[in-house]
Amino acid sequence: MAKTAQSRREVEEAVFTGIIEEIGTMRRVAEHGPSLELTIEAAKVLEDIRIGDSIAVNGVCLTVTRYDSRTFTADVMPETYRMTTLSELKPGGKVNLERAMQAGGRYGGHIVQGHIDGVGVIRSRVKEHNAVVFTVEPDDARQLKYIVPRGSIAVDGISLTVVRADNRTFTVSIIPHTLAETVLADKHPGDRVNLETDILGRYIERLLQFGLADADGSGGDGAGPGSGGTGGSGSRASGAAGSARGSSSGRTGTGSGSGLTEAFLRENGFL
């Protein structure tokens, strides 16, 4: 019998690790304009499932709305429909699945939020001894500034290490186990994949934006270059940057006027 009871909790931020638990099979794709309702057949992720749980589907964090002994159902809102490859799924297709990490669990991969930055296209797939090297070109070249060699990236929800990156593409090398246990085994040049870059780089960039805005004398309203932020978090970060001004212990390497100081980093939990 399908479960449709109220959620046991409100999930504000699920965290994943990019270690795929199993491959699920699409059983139903109901399209409602720029939104979807997906029903996916699975086994392992159903073991302790409840309404409101978060499950990453090809790297996209979705919330369980219904389930039975063989499947679970989740909604895809318009923003997710536009930003990911979920709109391309068809019944019978395969998807990577991972449950949200439990408190106290092990990080086998890296911090993955299930918030997709955009889509990339596989440009090449080359076997190299026991590995397979994929070259991926993001649709939006601006994503490449967050992709660094030996850094982490999630490709269709899989935690991978970046081998190389230039101003157009990046490469990842896949071991046989990862290839066999994920949908990458069926991916070839021309196929599209979901990309989530490392959140740490984006946080650092955001902090630098507020620090530079403060140094330019734009004050505590958080309206730094490219900030786009409003409300509480922006004001707090800007205020913290302001309180750190004038510190003689800055470690910015660009002079004491940048606003990004040791005091600022300590106050915001980075040291």
Side-chain angles (χ1 to χ4, degrees), residues 24-91:
T25 302
M26 298 302 309
R27 288 302 175 214
R28 179 173 173 268
V29 179
E31 190 164 355
H32 308 288
S35 65
L36 298 169
E37 185 180 68
L38 305 179
T39 299
I40 301 168
E41 183 176 343
K44 188 170 184 178
V45 301
L46 299 178
E47 291 174 356
D48 58 354
I49 195 170
R50 296 189 186 183
I51 302 298
D53 280 355
S54 295
I55 297 178
V57 178
N58 277 357
V60 184
C61 179
L62 299 180
T63 300
V64 175
T65 58
R66 296 195 305 275
Y67 69 91
D68 57 31
S69 60
R70 296 182 57 194
T71 67
F72 71 91
T73 298
D75 291 319
V76 177
M77 61 184 177
E79 177 68 9
T80 306
Y81 182 98
R82 290 188 294 265
M83 290 292 295
T84 73
T85 63
L86 294 188
S87 62
E88 302 168 16
L89 294 174
K90 305 295 181 186

Side-chain angles (χ1 to χ4, degrees), residues 206 210 220-223 227-240:
R206 185 67 166 162
F210 281 110
D221 62 358
S227 67
T230 60
S233 61
S235 299
R236 182 179 63 208
S238 181

